[in-house]
Amino acid sequence: MAEIKNPGVFDVGKPLPAQFSKYFIGQAYLNPLTKVGGAIHNVTFSPGCRNNWHIHHKGGQILLVTGGRGWYQEFGKAPQALKPGDVVNIAPEVKHWHGAAKDSWFSHLAVEIPAEDSSNEWLEPVDDEQYSKLK
């Protein structure tokens, strides 16, 4: 296993549990920070790691970038490069993905927006050809 290079300010945590890792290409790590008022997790992505396209139904999510370089993309829009200090507000029902740049570890806080009957719908992987074109 490659050495973990924590780019963020919070502990990396443990490798994603199987229930989530199947929706990621590459290795990501999860450190739950709190569940009070809504779950907040530190998520760390190894270089090239990204999650599948997915949708947060009813609740939405906020990403607070804490380290490294990464990407965020909403379906039908151009990818956005992410760096420490960036904030991404993801509205409910928006298909999107996020993850590390090919050559950088990447870390963000994932803040789940509480909502009654909220859920995540995991979809198809991000196309390798499109991902490889990201600079």
Side-chain angles (χ1 to χ4, degrees):
M1 181 186 235
E3 179 186 351
I4 298 171
K5 299 189 181 196
N6 185 358
V9 296
F10 296 97
D11 288 338
V12 169
K14 297 181 180 177
L16 287 176
Q19 70 192 60
F20 297 116
S21 64
K22 63 185 174 184
Y23 302 117
F24 283 68
I25 293 173
Q27 182 64 60
Y29 301 85
L30 186 65
N31 179 9
L33 300 177
T34 183
K35 291 188 180 203
V36 176
I40 300 175
H41 296 87
N42 182 60
V43 184
T44 302
F45 299 77
S46 62
C49 178
R50 68 249 186 215
N51 53 33
N52 288 9
W53 290 97
H54 58 286
I55 300 169
H56 300 279
H57 295 295
K58 300 192 179 178
Q61 186 179 50
I62 301 169
L63 305 179
L64 306 169
V65 180
T66 60
R69 290 185 314 102
W71 294 97
Y72 169 78
Q73 184 178 15
E74 292 183 3
F75 189 76
K77 295 185 179 180
Q80 289 177 237
L82 297 176
K83 65 186 181 328
D86 286 345
V87 176
V88 180
N89 290 288
I90 306 167
E93 313 309 326
V94 173
K95 183 177 177 179
H96 67 283
W97 70 271
H98 36 101
K102 290 177 281 216
D103 60 350
S104 177
W105 283 81
F106 176 64
S107 186
H108 66 55
L109 297 183
V111 181
E112 300 297 323
I113 306 302
E116 190 173 333
D117 297 324
S118 64
S119 66
N120 289 345
E121 179 182 0
W122 291 99
L123 304 166
E124 72 276 7
V126 174
D127 179 81
D128 284 338
E129 186 177 336
Q130 283 188 305
Y131 179 81
S132 68
K133 293 177 184 175
L134 299 173
K135 304 281 182 204

